[in-house]
């Protein structure tokens, strides 16, 4: 008979390990390791622009900083103040030993590769009996290849679209919830839980909310105050550890952009798509079994999944897009389906055993009852020994292996197999082609010669005419370069000489709305990604006037319509071309030629001709500032007076709705010796006291020496009043950044305290004689013993 023991490795454990290894290997197989290990630059969707973020983080680290100013996109933005720093830090760490491009690719698949093992660990730590954790690992594998949604996070399609940090955070969140369940039972593992929760929040904030909600449910819905004494220190230390990022994040939210994503309202089709209905049926069985058999981990999944589905339906419009909650619903369904499948297998084994029982032979007590005339006691029915062994095999071996086979088979049918597989299966899923498109890299695209030549052209333009920002015409056909966002990497390829006005992290800059207004004016087929802006048609002269306000030096066009208007505009001069290049558009092939223009009168630092005015009644940031400054921005080509958020007492104050402002001329002045650094702007002025506009995105961390200010001016630039001939602006610390750093240092001290409290009793003494690393009998389990064994009685059937 097969039994699970407290010590040693039995057949059920080997089968469980085999299931997890096979699931992980299958995911790796579908991701094509040959492409992952090829030294090419990942392309495709947002991922093709994410490539630049760890490279900039590496530059910050070389200067001894974790956060700073990134001048590459949107006239500059703080990085990673409004994005998650941990994935970039992992890429940088790996790139020390392996090529950068390979390190980036491996981090993008880390969450997907770890999802099956994370689901299994959640089940084991939650004391779910075998084969439930193994079936949950299979369910997590099937979740990865689910295509009911494609960009909201967690599954493989979302990771390939650029949400790989979501998948990584979600995998860690599953293990974290298991650690919490193990910790509240033993009173230990608080340090591990605090570090994991902080890591999740630094990887992606939405899975961190999921993990925190689950932890609260575990801690609050348990008996006694002991759970609170365990959970409160974990929450405090985790929050403190991530404060160096979270405090500046919260403080800077008024200076971000809300893209206005509209909530998904197709609730039934999103929560119960046709391809998910068989999973939902098994999930219902798993939910019922979780409550009937009092499976704490299963009940937690039921509650979290139900909450995610409910919030998805009732969440109002806001910064949190309701589709972000969809992954938790879908993942919960797959994990509950794993529980349901395992319980069906367990029920089948019990049914097999119960149908073949023997009548227990009379024993001495029964003979004594007969001798004295006592009523006979009912005879017990016991399972045949060979039937009990077969039932155990069904439960611990057959069920997980059948789940593995069924899950992988159901996944292979739509996916097919990688091109290098000797077996051929016709694929109907788009995932294999996405994997090949992304991980073969930019260098493998048919349009690579065009892309490479264009980048070299821009690098040459920068050397000849000076470094500066470039506004490139958008078009969906740019996807043949590797992604429509391929030109966001101009700063990456040109080592920061040529910046890109469009970037990936839309929400991170308050200059984003004005860029998309410009994109609509300067592109024949604009994306118009931000909702609610007053977009206009192609109008290159108007767009160029707006580029001048943002300090953009170059304009790159490729469509005949935009090129014709650009050639006729006297504010532009053609300085370079690239092409023609054959390009597939629709069902035909056209020749694409890139024209590069320099924008005149577009200096980065310029003195004003008329004294700025201060707009009154405008909030410091957020929608209020956008509404007021956008109205001025659309009129600015015909206006002569800058509108500022604040300024010296001598500046006129006007309501922001005022269409006209008094034109008070300033003395003639000039600016010279402009030096643009990564986090600094230095220049000389001929006449102190004359306001100067610095065309860099405003953020409170900018500080100036040799001048008053800086103050925010429409649309989102900075204005200073020099008090000396030499002026320097530097991006530095804010009070929020200092406070967050102090809290993180305190969090490290709290973590040390938790580690000491979590140690076994013989190791708590600091100093004194050394003691052996041997746990006394009856003492609590150590951190490395998180996986609790299952009692022998749980394995017996009948």
């Amino acid at each position: 008979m097969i039994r699970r023991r407290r010590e040693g490795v039995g057949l059920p454990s080997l089968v469980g390990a085999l299931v997890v290894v096979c699931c992980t290997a299958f995911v790796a197989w579908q991701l094509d390791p040959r492409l992952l290990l090829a030294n090419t630059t990942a392309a495709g969707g947002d991922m093709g622009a994410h490539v630049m973020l760890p490279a900039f983080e590496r530059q910050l680290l070389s200067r001894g900083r974790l956060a700073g100013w990134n001048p590459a996109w949107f006239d500059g933005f703080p990085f990673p103040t409004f994005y998650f720093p941990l994935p970039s830090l992992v890429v940088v760490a790996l790139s020390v030993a392996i090529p950068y491009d390979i390190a980036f690719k491996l981090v993008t698949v880390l969450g997907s590769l770890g999802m099956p093992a994370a689901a299994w660990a959640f089940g084991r730590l939650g004391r779910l009996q075998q084969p439930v954790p193994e079936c949950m690992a299979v369910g997590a594998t099937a979740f990865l290849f689910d295509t009911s949604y494609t960009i909201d996070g967690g599954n493989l399609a979302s990771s390939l679209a650029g949400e790989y940090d979501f998948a990584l955070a979600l995998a860690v969140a599953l293990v974290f919830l298991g650690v919490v369940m193990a910790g509240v039972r033993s009173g230990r593992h608080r340090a591990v839980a605090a570090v994991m929760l902080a890591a999740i929040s630094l990887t992606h904030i939405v899975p961190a909310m999921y993990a925190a909600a689950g932890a609260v449910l575990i801690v609050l819905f348990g008996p006694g105050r002991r759970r609170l004494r365990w959970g409160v220190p974990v929450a405090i230390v985790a929050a403190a550890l991530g404060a160096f990022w979270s405090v500046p994040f919260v403080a800077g939210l008024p200076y971000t952009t809300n893209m206005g994503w509209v909530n998904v309202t197709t609730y039934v089709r999103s929560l119960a798509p046709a391809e998910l209905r068989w999973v939902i049926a098994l999930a219902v069985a798993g939910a019922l079994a979780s409550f009937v058999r009092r499976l704490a981990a299963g009940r937690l999944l039921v509650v979290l999944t139900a909450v995610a589905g409910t919030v998805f339906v009732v969440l109002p419009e806001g910064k949190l897009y309701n589709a972000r909650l969809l992954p938790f619903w879908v993942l919960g369904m797959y994990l509950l389906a794993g529980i349901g499948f395992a319980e069906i297998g367990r029920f089948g084994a019990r049914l097999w055993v119960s149908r073949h029982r023997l009548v227990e032979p009379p024993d001495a007590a029964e003979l004594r009852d007969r001798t004295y005339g006592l009523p006979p006691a009912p005879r017990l029915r016991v399972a045949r020994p060979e039937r009990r062994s077969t039932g155990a095999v069904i439960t611990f071996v057959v069920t997980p292996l059948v789940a593995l086979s069924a899950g992988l088979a159901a996944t292979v049918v739509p996916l097919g197999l990688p091109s290098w597989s000797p077996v051929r299966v016709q694929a109907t899923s788009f995932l294999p082609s996405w994997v090949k498109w992304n991980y073969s890299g930019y260098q493998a695209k048919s349009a690579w010669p065009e892309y490479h030549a264009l980048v070299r052209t821009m690098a040459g333009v920068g050397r000849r005419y000076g470094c500066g920002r470039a506004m490139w015409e958008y078009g969906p056909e740019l996807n043949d370069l590797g992604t429509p966002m391929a030109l966001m990497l101009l700063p990456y390829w040109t080592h920061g000489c040529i910046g890109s006005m469009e970037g990936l992290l839309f929400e991170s800059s308050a200059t984003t709305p004005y860029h998309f207004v410009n994109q609509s004016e300067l592109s024949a087929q604009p994306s118009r990604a931000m909702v609610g802006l007053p977009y206009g048609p192609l109008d290159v002269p108007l767009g160029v006037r707006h580029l001048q306000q943002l300090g953009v030096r170059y304009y790159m066009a490729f469509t005949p319509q935009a090129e014709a208007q650009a050639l006729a505009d006297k504010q532009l001069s053609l300085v370079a071309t690239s092409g023609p290049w054959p390009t597939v558009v629709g069902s035909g092939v056209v020749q694409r030629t890139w024209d590069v223009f320099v924008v005149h009168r577009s200096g980065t630092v310029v003195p004003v001709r008329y004294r700025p005015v201060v707009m009154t009644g405008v909030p410091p940031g957020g929608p209020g500032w956008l509404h007021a400054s956008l109205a001025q921005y659309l009129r600015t080509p015909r206006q002569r007076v800058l509108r500022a958020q604040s300024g010296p007492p001598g500046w006129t104050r006007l309501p922001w709705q005022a269409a006209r402002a008094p034109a008070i001329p300033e003395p003639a002045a000039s600016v010279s010796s402009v030096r643009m650094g990564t986090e600094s702007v230095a220049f000389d002025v001929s006449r102190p006291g004359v306001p100067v506009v610095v065309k860099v995105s405003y953020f409170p961390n900018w500080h100036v020496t040799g001048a008053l200010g800086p103050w925010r001016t429409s649309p989102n630039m900075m204005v200073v009043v020099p008090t000396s001939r030499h002026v320097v602006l530097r991006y530095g610390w804010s009070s929020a950044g200092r406070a967050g750093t102090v809290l993180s240092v305190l969090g490290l001290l709290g973590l040390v305290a938790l580690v000491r409290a979590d140690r076994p009793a013989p190791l708590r003494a600091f100093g004194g004689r050394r003691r052996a690393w041997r746990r006394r009998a009856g003492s609590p389990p150590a951190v490395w013993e998180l996986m609790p064994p299952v009692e022998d009685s749980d394995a017996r059937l009948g």
Side-chain angles (χ1 to χ4, degrees):
M1 182 175 63
I2 298 176
R3 291 190 181 184
R4 289 180 291 178
R5 300 179 180 178
R6 287 184 178 272
E7 298 179 358
V9 179
L11 183 58
S13 298
L14 292 176
V15 172
L18 175 65
V19 169
V20 176
V21 169
C22 287
C23 289
T24 305
F26 178 77
V27 176
W29 187 25
Q30 290 292 337
L31 290 172
D32 199 339
R34 296 183 308 169
L35 297 180
L36 290 177
L37 299 178
N39 194 13
T40 56
T41 306
D46 290 357
M47 184 182 292
H50 271 288
V51 171
M52 198 182 77
L53 300 182
F56 188 76
E57 184 64 46
R58 184 168 55 185
Q59 296 179 25
L60 288 172
L61 292 173
S62 68
R63 299 196 297 270
R65 301 189 60 176
L66 284 174
W69 186 256
N70 189 336
W73 295 334
F74 302 119
D75 276 355
F77 67 100
F79 177 82
T81 304
F82 302 114
Y83 200 69
F84 316 109
L86 190 55
S88 293
L89 292 173
V90 176
V91 173
V92 173
L94 288 177
S95 65
V96 175
I98 59 178
Y100 174 85
D101 287 329
I102 297 177
F104 177 81
K105 291 180 184 178
L106 292 180
V107 171
T108 64
V109 301
L110 196 58
S112 299
L113 290 175
M115 194 73 72
W120 174 83
F122 170 78
R124 290 289 290 161
L125 291 167
R127 281 190 171 175
L128 294 176
Q129 301 172 7
Q130 288 179 294
V132 176
E134 290 76 11
C135 293
M136 292 173 68
V138 176
T141 305
F143 162 74
L144 289 174
F145 296 95
D146 180 89
T147 56
S148 60
Y149 66 91
T150 57
I151 199 173
D152 301 314
N155 60 1
L156 190 56
S158 299
S159 296
L160 293 171
E163 289 290 339
Y164 56 87
D165 44 3
F166 193 109
L168 180 58
L170 186 55
V172 179
L174 288 177
V175 183
F176 165 76
L177 292 177
V179 171
V180 174
M181 286 187 286
V184 296
R185 289 194 303 266
S186 65
R188 304 277 307 286
H189 319 314
R190 290 177 295 179
V192 176
V195 171
M196 294 185 73
L197 183 56
I200 296 166
S201 65
L202 295 174
T203 303
H204 202 291
I205 192 66
V206 180
M209 296 165 58
Y210 175 79
V216 169
L217 291 174
I218 295 169
V219 171
L220 293 184
F221 292 93
R225 298 180 180 178
R226 183 171 60 88
R227 293 186 173 222
L228 283 177
R229 289 197 298 268
W230 185 93
V232 171
V234 169
I236 293 175
V237 172
L241 287 174
F244 73 93
W245 174 80
S246 62
V247 173
F249 171 83
V250 174
L253 283 177
Y255 302 98
T256 59
T257 292
N258 183 357
M259 295 298 290
W261 308 123
V262 179
N263 279 353
V264 175
T265 56
T266 54
Y267 303 122
V268 175
R269 188 171 61 187
S270 299
L271 297 177
E275 58 267 37
L276 200 63
R277 288 171 186 170
W278 66 272
V279 178
I280 294 177
L282 282 175
V284 171
L288 293 175
S290 297
F291 283 97
V292 171
R293 300 195 62 235
R294 297 178 179 271
L295 306 178
R299 289 183 290 183
L300 174 65
L301 280 177
V302 172
V303 174
L304 287 176
T305 305
V307 169
T310 303
V311 177
F312 169 76
V313 174
V314 303
L315 186 72
E317 296 280 355
K319 286 197 172 184
L320 180 59
Y321 179 41
N322 73 335
R324 284 296 200 179
L325 300 169
L326 202 55
F328 308 124
W329 166 268
V330 179
L331 176 62
M333 286 296 161
Y334 276 100
L335 295 182
L336 288 171
I339 296 177
F341 191 93
E343 291 301 325
I344 290 173
R346 182 184 295 275
F347 177 77
R350 290 181 180 273
L351 186 63
W352 171 271
V353 172
S354 65
R355 292 183 59 186
H356 301 83
R357 293 179 180 269
L358 293 174
V359 177
E360 185 182 26
D363 57 7
E366 186 175 351
L367 292 176
R368 189 166 52 251
D369 292 341
R370 289 180 180 179
T371 301
Y372 291 97
L374 298 176
R379 295 183 180 181
L380 300 177
R381 299 178 66 85
V382 296
R384 297 174 185 265
E386 63 275 13
R387 296 294 178 180
R388 293 176 63 187
S389 297
T390 305
V393 170
I394 293 174
T395 301
F396 301 127
V397 179
V398 175
T399 298
L401 292 181
V402 170
L404 176 66
S405 302
L408 297 188
T411 304
V412 165
V413 169
L415 283 177
L417 294 174
S419 59
W420 46 273
S421 171
V423 181
R424 291 289 179 266
V425 178
Q426 184 65 34
T428 59
S429 173
F430 56 83
L431 289 178
S433 61
W434 269 27
V435 169
K436 182 178 180 180
W437 180 266
N438 281 26
Y439 294 125
S440 62
Y442 285 103
Q443 292 83 350
K445 303 297 177 283
S446 60
W448 169 249
E450 174 187 358
Y451 186 37
H452 186 250
L454 180 59
V455 169
R456 294 188 63 180
T457 298
M458 292 306 300
V461 167
R463 287 191 297 268
R464 184 173 181 181
Y465 298 97
C467 297
R469 304 153 185 159
M471 175 74 197
W472 41 274
E473 182 183 2
Y474 179 88
E477 62 267 33
L478 295 182
N479 186 61
D480 57 7
L481 300 178
T483 169
M485 303 178 179
L487 291 176
M488 292 181 185
L489 293 188
L490 280 172
Y492 179 76
W493 301 118
T494 62
H495 304 287
C497 179
I498 303 297
S500 169
M501 274 308 294
E502 183 159 345
L504 176 65
L505 308 181
F506 298 154
E507 291 89 347
S508 293
S509 174
T511 308
T512 301
Y514 316 102
H515 160 73
F516 281 112
V517 169
N518 298 351
Q519 185 206 74
S520 183
E521 297 166 349
L522 296 166
S523 304
Q525 294 181 305
S527 65
R528 296 175 178 171
M530 186 172 174
V531 177
L533 295 180
Y535 293 116
L538 177 68
D539 189 341
V540 172
L542 178 59
V544 169
R545 304 309 183 271
H546 284 145
L547 293 184
Q548 291 171 335
Q549 294 177 65
L550 297 181
V552 180
R553 188 171 184 81
Y554 301 107
Y555 171 53
M556 304 163 60
F558 66 89
T559 61
Q561 307 95 301
E563 289 173 334
Q565 292 192 28
L567 289 170
D569 191 351
K570 295 182 179 180
Q571 296 297 320
L572 297 175
S573 293
L574 180 66
V575 294
T577 60
S578 178
W581 304 97
T583 305
V584 177
V585 177
S587 59
V589 178
V590 299
Q591 299 296 317
R592 181 163 63 200
T593 300
W594 288 88
D595 287 350
V596 182
F597 301 87
V598 66
V599 182
H600 300 306
R601 299 171 59 190
S602 187
T604 307
V605 182
V606 295
V608 301
R609 296 177 58 191
Y610 298 94
R611 183 173 302 171
V613 300
V614 176
M615 294 186 294
T616 59
V618 180
W625 169 263
L626 174 62
H627 187 61
S629 62
L630 187 61
Q632 301 300 326
Y633 184 69
L634 297 176
R635 293 197 296 258
T636 299
R638 298 183 297 274
Q639 296 292 312
R640 299 175 295 177
V641 181
L642 285 177
R643 309 295 179 100
Q645 176 184 337
S646 183
W651 289 4
T652 304
R653 267 62 179 173
L654 284 178
W656 67 268
Q657 299 91 341
R660 293 187 177 275
I664 303 175
E666 290 283 355
S670 63
V671 174
S672 60
S673 302
V674 178
R675 295 174 295 280
M676 297 288 297
T678 303
E679 296 182 323
S680 65
V681 182
F683 56 91
D684 296 331
V685 297
S686 63
R687 187 188 294 270
V690 177
V692 174
V693 177
V694 181
K695 298 177 183 177
V696 174
S697 293
Y698 174 82
F699 200 71
N701 288 46
W702 282 101
H703 308 285
V704 64
T705 57
L708 302 177
W711 296 287
R712 194 182 195 184
T713 183
S714 177
N716 189 43
M717 304 292 103
M718 295 185 287
V719 62
V720 298
V721 179
T723 57
S724 65
R725 293 187 179 274
H726 184 66
V727 180
V728 179
L729 284 91
R730 289 187 177 89
Y731 183 85
W733 286 87
S734 66
S735 56
R738 293 189 182 94
T741 302
V742 171
L743 287 176
S744 290
V745 172
L746 295 176
L748 290 174
L749 297 177
L751 181 63
V752 171
L754 289 183
V755 170
R756 291 179 59 82
D758 285 345
R759 286 180 177 180
L763 299 177
R764 287 181 183 171
F766 182 77
R769 64 185 182 89
R770 298 181 62 181
R771 304 195 181 188
W773 286 67
R774 184 176 58 203
R775 187 163 59 88
R776 296 177 180 176
S779 63
V783 174
W784 52 87
E785 298 173 311
L786 281 176
M787 300 298 182
V790 182
E791 298 292 340
D792 289 346
S793 59
D794 294 336
R796 290 197 290 269
L797 298 171

